[in-house]
Amino acid sequence: MRRDFQEPARCRPDLVIGREELFSAARERLVSGGSVLLHGPAGIGKSTVLRALAAENCFQSGTVLRCSATESESHLPFLALADLFGLVLDRIADRLPGAQRTALESALTGRGESTLQRDGLALRLAVLSALRALAEDGPVLVVADDFQWLDSASAELLGFAARRLGDTPVRMLCAVRTEAQEYDRYLRACPPDTLAVRLGPLTRGQVSALLDHRGYTGLPRSTVRDIHRTSGGNPLFALELGRALAENPTPPRPGEPLPVPTSLRALVLSRLDLLSDEARRTLLVASAGARPTAALLHAAGRDHAEAECARAAELGLLTTEPEAPAVRFAHPLISAALYAEAPAHERRAAHAALSTAASDPIERARHLALATIGTDPDVAASLAEAAALARDRGAPSVAASLGLLAARHTPADGSPAPDERRLQAAEDAITAGEADLARDIAREVLTRAAVPAERVRAWMVVIEAAGQALGDVDAVFPQALADAGDDPRLLALVHYQLAWRALVVEGDFAEARQEAAHAAELAARAGNRRTELMALSFQASTETLMGHPDAPVTVKRALQEPQDPYVACHHNGAGAARFRWLLMSDQLPEARTTISALLREVRRRGMVESEVHFLRALAETELLSGHCGRALDLARESLRLARDSGIGEGASAMLASLAEASAGDVERAEALAREAAAHAEEDGDQMYLSRALAALGHAQLVAGDARGAVVSLRRVRELEAGLGITDPARGRWHGDLAEALVRIGEVGEAQEVIDTAREHALRLRRESVLAVLDRAGALVRAARGDTEAALAQLTSAQDRLAKLGYGLEEARAAYALARLRAGRPGPTSYDEAARLFRRCRALPWLRQVEAAAQAATAAAAQRPAPAPAGLHTALDSLASMERQVAGLVMEGATNREIAARLFISVKTVEATLTRVYRKLGIRSRVDIVRLAAGRHAK
């Protein structure tokens, strides 16, 4: 056994980044005694996953046999067989029949020149017998990497044995490289139950995690994006590109492909020598173009483009798509490697040809810049115009790249100045979600800028790039204020950011509101309508969350004309403020229409950060409306985009937690809520910390952990009291806390939570919140024994929630009704609750209903015969809650089951039973059962 298989059986997470699901499936198959074949293209991570699986499974095996073939040795017969059995043959030789032992020894040692033609049957049976003999000592694991290079003789022998092993405890774990060809033929060398697992490309987020783990942490997200695109998600290619970039002190110019290390060039360009020089130049022009076509290549002077591309396709450098005009490389890395391999003067020539051939003005400007050395005001102007066009088209990332090129070609005394163009590029990068690129540009400008307007503008970029972690840039604010001086236009910018700092870092809504109002006033005085609108929008959102009476008026002020198109669709703009006010005012259809329109617009404009926010907002709207499946899809999409861009990860994890608890996996919901809370704690963001803990409390309540929910939600109550948040529609956690408190027997505290929240909900006319509080209040009444009033209150709450369009909360009220009725005599039905939860696609809740219905059916089947008349007379002397508890005892329910069905604590059940015993003159629950059976207690 190789030494690397003798390490402790553990799975190193770094080995399977991005492969968790398929790794679990492969692990389960191996644990159950099956075999696994991993397949995929070169560099996709097959060997990495194979090693991790082997390390986990080697200690479950008595013997591990391993071989790893190479292309250069694939012509040597029986080499893989020697690797597998060479070290164990002595252990089993005496258990093999003589002829089989002789044939196997001859094949492994090379003595006697054994061949499949001469000793075919004996060799085949020898391999089968050897595996069976090894299996007598314990399970056998055969690990074969690079299966495609196995010599044909060994592959044939393994296949013969694998098909005949039957129940013999022999598993195979193999990895094979497959490109376009099928993997089926390799399955013939594996047991019939083999699971074939294809490894596909990694996502951008997974590539980012892989690079971080390997120590390439200083790469900007825009560079990670380029690595992902160039590598095609191939982990080996991505790591090699990351290494080359980390070792290269000079980053590529904006618009240029990534530098490709020699190791990868040799891997993907090995067939390039078979092309003519002219064909290579044609492919170079294609690699320099954004969307190369045969027509574009002709316009760039490549007269024989079709024939040269056809030859490249024959060699596997290009893909053939007869009906598509585009010239497509077989892998993005081939294009990048081809470009990197070309001399600088040939690259400039290719760009010069494309600068006149391309029809798109943005493409023409980019190629002109890459064909030009040094500063050139005309080239810079063309690039600035192209950047503005890209911005209008909704491609801010392209605009940022073009802006940096424009700055590079702008003379030092040009107008606009180079740094002014750099700052515009930084602002475009912020819009595109490339915060690290924006921050780097701004920091560079600050090293030399002396003009106050440029400095303040750069400071604003640094602050924006910090996202929620405003505490990390605390030192920036005094410097920005100093640079702003007494200029109201510049001061407005700084005070707008100070409003955010007051909210996020200090958690002070009142100060945040004052700073925003001050910023709006300064901006109005300076005639800066954009900043004025942003400040008014922030003020409106803050007042809405505070439950401030001026919120509707401020929203209207923020929506007054003239409007700024950018502010109108920004996630902190007037449209977003209006959406939040609509959502909290129970106007769900209008809120959905508003946020859907905003989402479409920011997608059109390429505003990534706003897209993350609006996806999350639309998910929240759908969740409140009871469209839980749709909400889960949107929340997951928002979380994926947040992780890929590094924007709003905590907030998106929080909303995804709520959606998972309602429509997905409750354990995942708890994990996401804890992740969101960790992000907020790390950023010092008290506002989102309270929302993350509210999501955690909700997930714990759905999971049945009432005590955990109380702990989490009590902390939310403390945080929001400190923040000055009084509007219960902000987090909608009050009903959950009251219900959890009832479940653990803290009925008095539950009523206090309800009363406090109801006061604010009445003041602000939050009808849905009032209905949810009534649902929780009904549970309090039921716990105190007033069942009739509780049923009436629950019925009313359900009807009101249905009319308001809160489908999930309506279903929860129906579920509470069914559970409460289960404690009363007569038939009980959970059908209505099940129907409503099914309509919402609220799977975790539906599972609870089904379990409760099954328990009720089982209890009814075991229910004793009707009690004698004398018992009814005795029970009439009991209070309502006492009768319910006694009735459930007669059905055989335990104290814990009674508590769950009546929404009371076990302690309350015990106290109620004590009163029942005293009133009936009995001593135990056994006596209640005897009374029910018509016997007298002794």
Side-chain angles (χ1 to χ4, degrees), residues 100-183:
Q100 294 179 23
R101 182 173 66 247
T102 300
L104 186 57
E105 287 176 343
S106 176
L108 298 186
T109 61
R111 294 192 296 271
E113 297 182 356
S114 177
T115 68
L116 274 178
Q117 287 184 342
R118 193 183 73 186
D119 301 320
L121 181 59
L123 264 176
R124 290 176 173 85
L125 293 174
V127 172
L128 180 60
S129 298
L131 289 171
R132 285 173 173 165
L134 289 169
E136 291 174 1
D137 302 331
V140 177
L141 177 64
V142 178
V143 181
D145 199 1
D146 283 317
F147 209 54
Q148 73 278 3
W149 302 133
L150 250 67
D151 62 275
S152 57
S154 297
E156 202 282 333
L157 290 168
L158 278 177
F160 175 88
R163 292 189 294 273
R164 290 163 176 80
L165 285 169
D167 295 333
T168 307
V170 176
R171 298 165 296 159
M172 292 184 68
L173 173 58
C174 308
V176 60
R177 180 189 302 178
T178 54
E179 299 291 345
Q181 71 268 34
E182 297 293 330
Y183 62 88

Side-chain angles (χ1 to χ4, degrees), residues 406-428:
R408 183 186 293 268
H409 290 286
T410 300
D413 58 351
S415 179
D419 279 346
E420 187 173 344
R421 283 178 166 153
R422 288 189 180 92
L423 288 171
Q424 179 61 64
E427 289 163 358
D428 286 329

Side-chain angles (χ1 to χ4, degrees), residues 568-583 587-603 609-625 630 634 638 655:
C569 65
H570 192 275
H571 58 276
N572 291 323
R578 178 174 181 269
F579 158 76
R580 180 57 56 188
W581 182 79
L582 288 169
L583 193 69
Q587 300 180 55
L588 295 182
E590 294 87 345
R592 181 185 294 107
T593 300
T594 299
I595 199 64
S596 298
L598 288 169
L599 180 59
R600 285 193 299 271
E601 181 62 14
V602 297
R603 280 174 165 166
E609 183 172 6
S610 293
E611 182 180 355
V612 172
H613 280 267
F614 291 156
L615 276 170
R616 190 166 65 241
L618 182 55
E620 183 179 2
T621 308
E622 298 293 3
L623 194 59
L624 291 175
S625 302
R630 169 74 172 147
L634 288 164
S638 173
L655 204 285

Side-chain angles (χ1 to χ4, degrees), residues 387-691:
L389 181 58
R391 200 175 302 120
D392 291 341
R393 287 182 180 179
S397 179
V398 175
S401 177
L402 291 168
L404 288 175
L405 283 172
R408 183 186 293 268
H409 290 286
T410 300
D413 58 351
S415 179
D419 279 346
E420 187 173 344
R421 283 178 166 153
R422 288 189 180 92
L423 288 171
Q424 179 61 64
E427 289 163 358
D428 286 329
I430 287 286
T431 302
E434 298 177 5
D436 45 3
L437 174 62
R439 181 179 53 250
D440 292 344
I441 296 171
R443 292 286 188 187
E444 180 194 349
V445 170
L446 284 165
T447 61
R448 56 178 173 267
V451 179
E454 286 186 357
R455 291 189 61 80
V456 171
R457 192 176 173 187
W459 287 127
M460 295 305 99
V461 170
V462 172
I463 293 170
E464 287 278 359
Q468 297 295 112
L470 288 177
D472 294 347
V473 292
D474 245 359
V476 166
F477 291 98
Q479 298 178 68
L481 282 170
D483 285 330
D486 57 1
D487 186 331
R489 183 177 181 278
L490 300 180
L491 285 171
L493 294 171
V494 181
H495 281 282
Y496 173 70
Q497 295 296 348
L498 282 169
W500 276 104
R501 184 193 174 280
L503 182 65
V504 174
V505 178
E506 301 296 335
D508 191 330
F509 273 71
E511 183 184 348
R513 175 177 175 270
Q514 290 174 0
E515 287 284 5
H518 185 38
E521 179 187 345
L522 287 166
R525 194 192 316 163
N528 185 347
R529 183 62 173 162
R530 174 173 290 191
T531 303
E532 180 188 5
L533 288 171
M534 290 294 287
L536 284 171
S537 301
F538 181 88
Q539 182 183 344
S541 296
T542 306
E543 289 173 349
T544 299
L545 294 173
M546 293 171 69
H548 196 284
D550 290 348
V553 175
T554 310
V555 170
K556 289 180 182 178
R557 286 180 62 200
L559 291 169
Q560 284 176 351
E561 297 294 341
Q563 280 293 314
D564 181 293
Y566 174 81
V567 177
C569 65
H570 192 275
H571 58 276
N572 291 323
R578 178 174 181 269
F579 158 76
R580 180 57 56 188
W581 182 79
L582 288 169
L583 193 69
M584 296 175 69
S585 301
D586 297 324
Q587 300 180 55
L588 295 182
E590 294 87 345
R592 181 185 294 107
T593 300
T594 299
I595 199 64
S596 298
L598 288 169
L599 180 59
R600 285 193 299 271
E601 181 62 14
V602 297
R603 280 174 165 166
R604 187 187 72 79
R605 290 172 171 265
M607 298 168 68
V608 175
E609 183 172 6
S610 293
E611 182 180 355
V612 172
H613 280 267
F614 291 156
L615 276 170
R616 190 166 65 241
L618 182 55
E620 183 179 2
T621 308
E622 298 293 3
L623 194 59
L624 291 175
S625 302
H627 306 150
C628 300
R630 169 74 172 147
L632 182 58
D633 292 340
L634 288 164
R636 286 174 174 173
E637 184 181 354
S638 173
L639 184 58
R640 281 194 299 271
L641 184 58
R643 285 177 170 163
D644 282 351
S645 62
I647 296 170
E649 293 181 70
S652 292
M654 175 275 298
L655 204 285
S657 169
L658 291 172
E660 289 283 354
S662 299
D665 183 282
V666 179
E667 288 186 8
R668 178 166 169 74
E670 289 195 44
L672 285 168
R674 294 184 192 281
E675 176 189 335
H679 274 292
E681 296 265 24
E682 183 180 345
D683 293 341
D685 187 342
Q686 299 296 298
M687 185 172 66
Y688 265 112
L689 177 59
S690 71
R691 295 216 59 187

